[in-house]
């Protein structure tokens, strides 16, 4: 049997190479099928028409087929180029966890685990083993040998597919032992694995280890982001950790983050159970059926061509794993995906493990950067190497995946993971005496930011993707349901914009993808701070015209490929990136920027805004159908919201009618293509005669705001900027110091200000002339951190925080911008009327929080009388009242001004009070009060809803 002691891998000791199995690793084809022969599991039918064609038979693609078919969609066809699980699924370690640092991805994990818990019973997957059960104990015993596999086995055709799986799994996991002949006497009392363990979903729980104080802070940070979810999660003390995992060296352990329902599942059996369910509900799973061509048709349908024939599909879903790039290239898309080599090690029986009376929880040593779980009577260990040591399969990006690659493995390389093995042996000392019986080194697919790409793709009608799954097993069930619901109902069931494939664009080059994937893999287990920045691959080609001017003066943040100033530093100040769960080195500089805008005048680079030009015969009708607000008159601007059919807030945009029938639409940088796709789809679906242009990269934007903004700009133009002539929410085009601009009198700061849209190449010159003109007024820069503090004081909502596809505009306090009485039947209108008639269950409120050195960020738990009743959506420090400020959703009965609640921050509940909003009146509101001869107290807030 192939083995060596793990302790032999210490520095200076003999290092093992070449532990990957020799001979052809294409195990399934060696088990009875000739190349190209149809698998017995694949139905013989062929359909010429399909509602949905899914390309790829890994666990994600099969899950989508299962969910669509179960939900009632007819004519669901899945096409797999070789066989189900080929690619990354078959060799996955199969970990399942409720934990995710993101918010709505917790729902994906939750849905996956709940599905896996009931899947065998629902699909009857255990019946797949009736043949072997009927022959029990005539199972087979597979051994792992240095020169390949030996096992005298011969089963009837009905069991060949399963037996091939069992044989292949024995290559990976020593726990899969099966007998052909009656078992030896010492095995007679053991339950037969083919009856008990084949579809094994183990839920022993999992523990993340904290061995540093900052990790304990991180766990506290994650707890407040989890308490308002259904996920069961606790911080546990070292004594409890040792009780659950008695093999640990407890010397450095300070705390653990414990998820009782976590565990692991066999990926092959999971996929086969989903496949059984998909077939049960009417889906056709066809393999081998490689897709050779994708041809879009004018009506939005697709011709999907294979060697076996063509299928006309209403939509296609690319779920092709590391083949997804090749599929995308068929239609001219270059998906930013790259395969990464991931290794894990399986040990032989360890006496101390075998002696345990219950299965060990899955362990994640975050400082050691590895996971470890029990594998029968041994252990399975999987590290994430640093970005310097990890290995990308970059040749697959430049030259394509080798033809026929499906169930192969790479040559193992234990040198890369030796440091992690050392850390694991120190943490779990029994590993020092363990024997390695297998090393698995297989490809998994990464996107630049490690998150998958899920949803419809902008620019190509009815083309959806479900690709880039670095953790496909835990995502498969939930993503299948998420996509199925979206496809069937025309909108996502909940907000998951962090997975939107349209977060990437033309700026996402191969070089960028490689650099970010390397960084993301290496950073798998680093501390997850708020306001985290990662610097690999930056800057991209997408820099504003001010980048060179500002980069030495500020800390830049990354926004959809753009570099944008977060905060500015002065000489002598700490300029380093110092992330923290508490106030850090940017706190004081941001306070100075806040005062700059409130007392003088500030300039901010807003070039990352998404910018669209829409014109044509039906432009007004299209926008009236898309937006809940009325269409602004020529020369004016308003804030408008696109709603989903269920009345949720899909997007918030600034809409300006520049000339009759010609509109400028502005959205946030992170939702540029997200919003554009929705607009384009509505235009096509409704047959509107319009021209839609994405002009984001052509134009820069400077924001000028503060009490002296008008005085500074007036020096540079002959255009009258007085309040009576250039009113709030007006838009005009003119020259500023001979530079053409489109100016909108609006500012997210809530102060007197303009947004100046101009040619990107003019940005530096325009900035320099404005700064020069404002010297007398004490002009200065400000960044997005100060902008956030300013907008919160004015009670301005932010899309993605206070509103998204999880919220309706009424509970978000956006009634002012929703015109239910306008004649147009805008998307979501009927649903919103019903929501209004039924009454709200929760409401967005503004809170002051009495904290010390920590401020709310958003997504923290709100407590009342010992129970979690809601969550914050965003937060900041208010430099005007010197308290923390936050938006939060709470039940309607707790939404009155003066209501006391608590906000959980870093493991402590801080008292909070609901206040009248806005905390600080906007400049237009103050000006109106001044005209009326009323008080202009900056801290007087007349109403719950801030009216721009």
């Amino acid at each position: 049997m192939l083995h060596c002691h793990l302790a032999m891998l210490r520095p200076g000791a003999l290092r093992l190479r070449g532990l990957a199995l020799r001979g052809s690793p294409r195990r399934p084809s060696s088990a009875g099928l000739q190349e190209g022969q149809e698998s017995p599991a694949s139905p013989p039918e062929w359909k010429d028409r399909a509602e949905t064609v899914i390309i790829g038979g890994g666990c994600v693609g099969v899950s989508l087929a299962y969910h669509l078919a179960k939900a009632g969609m007819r004519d669901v066809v899945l096409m797999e180029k070789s066989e189900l699980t080929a690619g990354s699924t078959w060799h996955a370690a199969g970990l399942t966890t409720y934990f995710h640092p993101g918010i709505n991805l917790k729902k994906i994990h939750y849905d996956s685990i709940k599905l896996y818990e009931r899947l065998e019973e629902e699909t009857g997957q255990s019946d797949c083993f009736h043949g072997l059960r009927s022959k029990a104990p005539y199972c087979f015993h597979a051994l792992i040998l240095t020169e390949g596999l030996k096992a005298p086995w011969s089963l009837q055709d009905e069991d060949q597919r399963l037996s091939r799986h069992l044989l292949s799994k024995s290559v990976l996991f020593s726990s899969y032992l099966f007998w052909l002949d009656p078992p030896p006497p010492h095995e007679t009392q053991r339950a037969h694995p083919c009856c008990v363990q084949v579809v094994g979903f183990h839920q022993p729980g999992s523990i993340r280890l904290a061995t540093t104080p900052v990790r304990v802070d991180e766990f506290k940070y994650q707890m407040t982001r989890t308490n308002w979810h259904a996920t069961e999660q606790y911080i546990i003390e070292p004594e409890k950790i040792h009780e659950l995992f008695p093999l640990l060296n407890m010397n450095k352990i300070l705390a653990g983050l414990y998820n009782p329902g976590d565990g692991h599942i066999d990926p092959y059996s999971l996929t086969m159970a989903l496949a059984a369910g998909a077939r049960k509900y009417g889906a056709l799973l066809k393999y081998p059926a490689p897709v050779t061509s994708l041809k879009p048709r004018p009506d939005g349908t697709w011709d999907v061509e294979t060697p076996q024939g063509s299928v006309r599909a209403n939509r296609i879903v690319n779920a092709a794993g590391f083949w997804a790039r090749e599929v995308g290239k068929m239609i001219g898309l270059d998906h930013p995906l790259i395969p990464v080599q991931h290794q894990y090690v399986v040990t032989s029986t360890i006496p101390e493990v075998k002696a345990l009376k219950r299965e060990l929880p899955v362990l994640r040593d975050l400082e050691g950067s590895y996971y470890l779980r029990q594998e029968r009577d041994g252990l399975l260990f999987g590290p994430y190497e640093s970005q310097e040591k990890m290995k990308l399969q970059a040749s697959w990006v430049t030259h394509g995946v080798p033809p026929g690659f499906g169930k192969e493995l790479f040559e193992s390389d234990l040198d890369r993971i030796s440091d992690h093995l050392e850390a694991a042996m120190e943490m779990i000392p029994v590993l020092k005496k363990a024997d390695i019986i297998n090393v698995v080194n297989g490809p998994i697919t990464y996107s630049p930011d490690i998150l998958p790409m899920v949803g419809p793709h902008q620019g190509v009608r009815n083309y959806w993707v479900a690709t880039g799954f670095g953790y496909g097993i835990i995502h498969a069930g939930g993503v299948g349901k998420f996509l199925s619901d979206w496809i069937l109902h025309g909108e996502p069931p909940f907000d998951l914009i962090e997975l939107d494939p349209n977060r990437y664009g033309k700026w996402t080059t191969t070089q960028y993808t490689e650099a970010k994937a390397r960084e993301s893999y290496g950073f798998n287990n680093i501390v997850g701070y708020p306001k985290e920045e990662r610097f690999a691959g930056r800057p991209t080609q997408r820099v504003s015209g001010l980048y060179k001017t500002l980069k030495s003066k500020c800390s830049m943040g990354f926004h959809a490929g753009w570099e944008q100033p977060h905060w500015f530093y002065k000489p002598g100040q700490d300029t380093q990136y110092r992330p923290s769960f508490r106030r850090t080195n940017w706190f004081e500089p941001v306070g100075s920027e806040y005062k700059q805008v409130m007392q003088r005048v500030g300039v901010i680079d807003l070039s990352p805004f998404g910018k669209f030009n829409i014109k044509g015969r039906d432009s007004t009708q299209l926008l009236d159908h898309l937006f809940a607000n009325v269409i602004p008159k020529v020369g004016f601007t308003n804030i408008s919201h696109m709603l989903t059919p269920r009345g949720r807030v899909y997007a918030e945009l600034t809409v300006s009618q520049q000339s009759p029938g010609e509109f400028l639409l502005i959205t946030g940088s992170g939702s540029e293509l997200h919003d554009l796709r929705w607009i384009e789809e509505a235009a096509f679906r409704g047959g509107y005669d319009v021209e839609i242009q994405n002009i984001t990269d052509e134009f820069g934007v400077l924001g000028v705001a503060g009490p002296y903004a008008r005085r500074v700009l007036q020096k540079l133009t002959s255009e009258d900027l007085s309040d009576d002539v250039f009113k709030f929410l007006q838009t005009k085009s003119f020259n500023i110091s001979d530079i053409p601009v489109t100016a909108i009198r609006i500012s997210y700061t809530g102060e007197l200000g303009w947004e100046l849209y101009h040619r990107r190449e003019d940005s530096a010159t325009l900035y320099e002339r404005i700064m020069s003109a404002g010297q007398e007024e004490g002009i200065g820069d400000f960044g997005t951190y100060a902008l956030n503090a300013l907008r919160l004081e004015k009670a301005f909502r932010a899309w993605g925080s206070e509103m998204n596809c999880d919220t309706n505009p009424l509970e978000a306090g956006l009634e002012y911008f929703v015109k239910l009485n306008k004649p147009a039947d805008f998307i979501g209108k009927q649903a919103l009327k019903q929501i209004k008639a039924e009454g709200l269950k929760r409401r967005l409120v503004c809170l002051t929080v009495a904290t010390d050195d920590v401020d709310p960020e958003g997504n923290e738990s709100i407590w009342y009388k010992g129970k979690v009743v809601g969550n914050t959506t965003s937060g900041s420090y208010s430099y005007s009242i010197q308290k923390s400020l936050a938006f939060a959703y709470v039940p309607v009965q707790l939404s009155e001004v003066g209501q006391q609640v608590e906000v959980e921050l870093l493991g402590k509940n801080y008292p909070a009070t609901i206040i009248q909003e806005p905390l600080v009146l906007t400049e237009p509101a103050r000006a109106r009060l001044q005209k009326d001869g009323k008080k202009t107290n900056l801290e007087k807030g007349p109403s719950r809803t801030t009216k721009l």
Side-chain angles (χ1 to χ4, degrees):
M1 181 173 287
L2 173 66
H3 71 276
C4 73
H5 285 305
L6 280 173
M8 293 174 63
L9 300 177
R10 292 179 178 277
L14 175 65
R15 288 181 170 82
L16 299 185
R17 297 181 182 273
L19 286 183
L21 291 172
R22 301 174 187 173
S24 172
R26 291 183 54 82
R27 296 187 296 263
S29 62
S30 68
L33 288 183
Q34 301 298 317
E35 190 68 28
Q37 181 179 338
E38 179 68 11
S39 165
S42 185
E45 300 90 357
W46 184 263
K47 294 183 177 181
D48 295 326
R49 293 298 302 259
E51 182 69 22
T52 300
V53 166
I54 301 163
I55 304 170
C59 58
V60 174
V62 177
S63 173
L64 177 56
Y66 161 83
H67 281 95
L68 285 172
K70 183 181 179 182
M73 179 178 284
R74 302 183 62 184
D75 299 326
V76 176
V77 177
L78 181 145
M79 294 181 176
E80 162 56 41
K81 70 184 299 294
S82 56
E83 59 182 294
L84 301 185
T85 76
S88 297
T89 297
W90 73 278
H91 63 73
L95 301 183
T96 58
T97 177
Y98 282 112
F99 176 86
H100 195 278
I103 298 304
N104 279 346
L105 268 168
K106 297 181 198 297
K107 296 181 182 179
I108 294 292
H109 288 211
Y110 182 88
D111 288 345
S112 289
I113 290 176
K114 292 307 175 186
L115 170 66
Y116 301 165
E117 288 176 343
R118 67 176 189 270
L119 189 60
E120 179 175 319
E121 179 180 354
E122 176 187 334
T123 65
Q125 168 64 359
S126 57
D127 293 340
C128 293
F129 310 109
H130 68 89
L132 283 181
R133 283 177 174 156
S134 67
K135 296 177 176 62
Y138 298 103
C139 303
F140 63 89
H141 184 191
L143 296 179
I144 305 170
L145 305 177
T146 56
E147 296 300 327
L149 300 173
K150 288 184 181 179
W153 56 281
S154 177
L155 299 174
Q156 299 301 315
D157 288 344
E158 65 178 351
D159 291 321
Q160 283 186 356
R161 176 174 56 85
L162 176 62
S163 62
R164 288 199 307 275
H165 162 55
L166 301 182
L167 181 61
S168 69
K169 291 306 285 188
S170 69
V171 174
L172 300 186
F173 305 127
S174 60
S175 67
Y176 288 88
L177 301 178
F178 304 91
W179 296 275
L180 174 65
D181 300 315
H186 66 278
E187 297 285 5
T188 55
Q189 300 304 312
R190 187 180 298 183
H192 293 157
C194 51
C195 300
V196 179
Q197 286 193 335
V198 174
V199 194
F201 182 23
H202 298 245
Q203 293 182 276
S206 78
I207 305 172
R208 284 168 171 77
L209 297 178
T211 56
T212 66
V214 73
R215 283 289 183 190
V216 178
D217 274 353
E218 181 185 24
F219 288 0
K220 292 175 181 177
Y221 176 74
Q222 287 302 332
M223 281 303 301
T224 188
R225 295 162 65 85
T226 301
N227 281 331
W228 56 281
H229 285 266
T231 299
E232 192 176 1
Q233 181 172 291
Y234 311 98
I235 293 179
I236 57 177
E237 298 296 322
E239 293 77 16
K240 182 64 175 179
I241 296 171
H242 191 253
E243 176 188 334
L244 292 169
F245 204 117
L247 305 181
L248 283 173
N249 174 0
M250 301 298 297
N251 289 343
K252 297 181 180 179
I253 296 174
L254 302 178
L257 195 64
Y258 178 49
N259 292 92
D262 288 7
H264 54 95
I265 193 169
D266 170 30
Y268 182 97
S269 298
L270 166 63
T271 307
M272 290 307 162
L274 291 167
R279 294 189 187 97
K280 172 182 175 181
Y281 297 120
L284 172 63
L285 278 57
K286 198 69 180 174
Y287 50 93
V291 173
T292 57
S293 176
L294 296 171
K295 295 181 179 179
R297 295 172 53 82
D299 62 355
T301 61
W302 291 84
D303 285 335
V304 182
E305 297 183 355
T306 77
Q308 295 161 295
S310 179
V311 179
R312 178 77 48 82
N314 288 349
R315 73 185 56 77
I316 55 177
V317 183
N318 181 352
F322 55 67
W323 290 93
R325 284 179 61 90
E326 273 74 1
V327 174
K329 286 178 180 178
M330 292 180 186
I331 57 174
L333 295 178
D334 190 10
H335 295 309
L337 301 167
I338 189 166
V340 172
Q341 292 190 19
H342 179 62
Q343 298 184 97
Y344 59 83
V345 171
V346 182
T347 77
S348 62
T349 295
I350 299 173
E352 292 87 347
V353 175
K354 186 175 182 178
L356 296 171
K357 295 182 179 180
R358 63 182 178 191
E359 184 175 355
L360 293 168
V362 177
L363 193 72
R364 291 176 174 87
D365 180 358
L366 303 178
E367 305 310 321
S369 192
Y370 63 85
Y371 57 83
L372 181 141
R373 69 169 175 83
Q374 187 172 337
E375 177 52 42
R376 199 175 177 83
D377 293 333
L379 296 171
L380 183 151
F381 157 85
Y384 290 98
E385 309 96 291
S386 67
Q387 55 184 311
E388 293 79 20
K389 288 190 174 183
M390 62 83 67
K391 187 171 182 180
L392 300 171
Q393 201 62 23
S395 62
W396 287 12
V397 176
T398 54
H399 304 300
V401 182
F405 193 101
K407 284 201 170 180
E408 285 75 11
L409 296 172
F410 301 119
E411 188 80 1
S412 59
D413 182 1
L414 292 177
D415 281 346
R416 293 209 314 262
I417 63 174
S418 59
D419 292 343
H420 305 278
L421 282 167
E422 281 287 323
M425 287 188 288
E426 181 181 356
M427 185 63 72
I428 307 103
V430 297
L431 276 174
K432 296 176 182 178
K433 300 178 182 179
D435 293 337
I436 296 177
I437 60 170
N438 195 30
V439 179
V440 175
N441 185 15
I444 55 176
T445 307
Y446 265 43
S447 70
D449 63 8
I450 211 172
L451 296 176
M453 299 160 60
V454 176
H457 204 287
Q458 186 273 329
V460 189
R461 292 206 69 233
N462 296 320
Y463 174 77
W464 297 61
V465 297
T467 62
F469 289 88
Y471 313 99
I473 304 304
I474 186 54
H475 287 156
V479 164
K481 184 179 187 301
F482 177 84
L483 271 181
S484 172
D485 289 349
W486 191 347
I487 288 170
L488 289 167
H489 302 298
E491 62 178 286
F494 51 86
D495 177 66
L496 209 56
I497 194 171
E498 58 264 45
L499 303 193
D500 191 343
N502 304 301
R503 67 188 186 272
Y504 299 118
K506 295 178 181 178
W507 54 270
T508 317
T509 62
T510 298
Q511 292 75 19
Y512 173 83
T513 300
E514 290 185 11
K516 296 304 287 187
R518 183 177 295 280
E519 177 187 59
S520 295
Y521 186 90
F523 282 7
N524 250 288
N525 292 303
I526 67 165
V527 175
Y529 291 102
K531 293 182 168 64
E532 181 188 58
E533 288 292 323
R534 297 187 176 186
F535 299 98
R538 296 170 53 182
T540 71
Q541 64 190 36
R542 211 177 200 195
V543 295
S544 83
L546 289 183
Y547 176 70
K548 291 182 179 179
T549 303
L550 299 180
K551 67 178 181 178
S552 63
K553 301 166 56 178
C554 67
S555 176
M556 290 282 186
F558 190 72
H559 299 264
W562 297 88
E563 298 289 333
Q564 186 175 27
H566 276 172
W567 61 279
F568 288 82
Y569 33 75
K570 301 277 193 300
Q573 291 181 331
D574 183 359
T575 64
Q576 299 302 306
Y577 169 64
R578 301 194 187 282
S580 175
F581 295 104
R582 295 173 170 80
R583 294 171 189 161
T584 184
N585 59 333
W586 52 261
F587 181 77
E588 295 297 336
V590 169
S592 298
E593 294 171 34
Y594 171 91
K595 292 178 183 177
Q596 177 75 44
V597 175
M598 291 296 292
Q599 299 175 4
R600 295 182 292 278
V601 56
V603 179
I604 185 171
D605 184 6
L606 299 173
S607 297
F609 279 167
K611 317 166 194 78
F612 316 131
N613 181 270
I614 299 180
K615 59 185 178 180
R617 186 182 64 187
D618 299 332
S619 59
T620 301
Q621 292 90 328
L622 169 63
L623 298 189
D624 216 14
H625 173 64
L626 279 169
F627 291 112
N629 205 346
V630 296
I631 303 305
K633 297 177 181 179
V634 174
F636 283 87
T637 296
N638 70 16
I639 306 299
S640 296
H641 299 85
M642 296 193 296
L643 308 183
T644 71
R646 291 187 301 153
R648 306 300 179 97
V649 185
Y650 188 83
E652 179 183 74
L653 296 92
T654 302
V655 180
S656 303
Q657 188 165 188
Q658 297 176 293
S659 61
E662 183 170 356
F663 297 87
L664 174 66
L665 273 59
I666 307 299
T667 189
S669 58
S671 51
E672 173 197 346
L673 300 182
H674 168 272
D675 295 359
L676 181 60
R677 187 204 65 82
W678 187 266
I679 295 168
E680 290 173 338
E681 179 64 23
F684 183 92
R685 192 171 55 245
Y688 293 96
D689 183 7
V690 293
E691 179 184 337
I692 303 170
Q693 270 188 299
N694 184 0
I695 57 173
T696 299
D697 289 350
E698 299 173 31
F699 287 85
V701 189
L702 286 181
V704 182
Y708 298 144
R710 177 181 288 116
R711 185 191 300 179
V712 171
L713 292 177
Q714 193 66 80
K715 296 177 184 180
L716 300 172
T717 182
S718 59
E719 187 76 23
D720 189 347
L721 303 182
S722 65
D723 190 59
D724 291 336
V725 176
F726 203 145
K727 300 180 184 296
F728 179 56
L729 293 180
Q730 270 193 294
T731 177
K732 298 183 179 183
S733 295
F734 53 90
N735 285 357
I736 290 182
S737 189
D738 298 325
I739 297 173
V741 301
T742 294
I744 303 175
R745 191 180 155 191
I746 193 172
S747 176
Y748 202 37
T749 66
E751 296 303 305
L752 173 66
W754 281 263
E755 291 175 357
L756 306 175
Y757 294 80
H758 56 275
R759 292 188 305 262
R760 189 170 164 186
E761 57 268 28
D762 290 336
S763 292
T765 302
L766 180 61
Y767 170 82
E768 288 166 3
R769 291 178 183 176
I770 292 173
M771 296 300 285
S772 178
Q775 291 303 302
E776 183 180 345
E777 289 75 16
I779 198 167
D781 296 294
F782 71 104
T784 58
Y785 286 2
L787 180 65
N788 187 55
L790 288 157
R791 70 95 183 171
L792 276 163
E793 290 187 347
K794 307 304 195 303
F796 289 171
R797 280 72 169 148
W799 191 90
S801 298
E802 284 69 56
M803 54 181 138
N804 53 31
C805 290
D806 295 328
T807 61
N808 68 66
L810 303 182
E811 65 187 3
L814 299 171
E815 299 96 328
Y816 178 78
F817 305 100
V818 176
K819 312 301 183 186
L820 286 172
N821 59 350
K822 80 172 189 175
D825 187 21
F826 60 85
I827 298 171
K829 183 177 184 179
Q830 300 310 315
L832 209 54
K833 285 184 175 180
Q834 184 175 349
I835 291 170
K836 186 174 183 179
E838 293 174 353
L840 300 178
K841 296 180 180 179
R842 63 174 189 166
R843 190 183 295 277
L844 187 72
V845 297
C846 192
L847 301 166
T848 56
V849 191
T851 66
D852 34 52
D853 64 341
V854 58
D855 298 303
E857 291 282 335
N859 298 310
E860 294 97 357
S861 296
I862 302 292
W863 292 78
Y864 179 70
K865 291 186 176 180
K867 293 182 179 180
V868 176
V869 295
N871 63 279
T872 63
T873 56
S874 59
S876 177
Y877 182 78
S878 168
Y879 292 91
S880 67
I881 62 170
Q882 298 183 10
K883 286 185 179 180
S884 290
L885 196 64
F887 273 126
Y889 276 105
V890 297
V892 168
Q893 63 270 24
L894 296 177
S895 65
E896 294 302 316
V897 171
Q899 176 67 56
Q900 301 286 316
V901 292
E902 295 175 320
V903 178
E904 181 186 352
L905 300 169
L906 294 183
K908 180 180 177 181
N909 286 8
Y910 292 89
T913 304
I914 297 176
I915 63 168
Q916 187 84 15
E917 62 177 73
L919 178 67
V920 176
L921 289 177
T922 64
E923 182 273 337
R926 300 197 303 266
R928 286 195 299 269
L929 289 174
Q930 196 170 29
K931 273 187 178 180
D932 295 340
K934 298 179 181 179
K935 285 186 176 182
T936 60
N937 183 353
L938 291 183
E939 297 183 12
K940 182 177 179 180
S943 66
R944 173 178 298 282
T945 302
T946 300
K947 298 181 180 181
L948 295 175

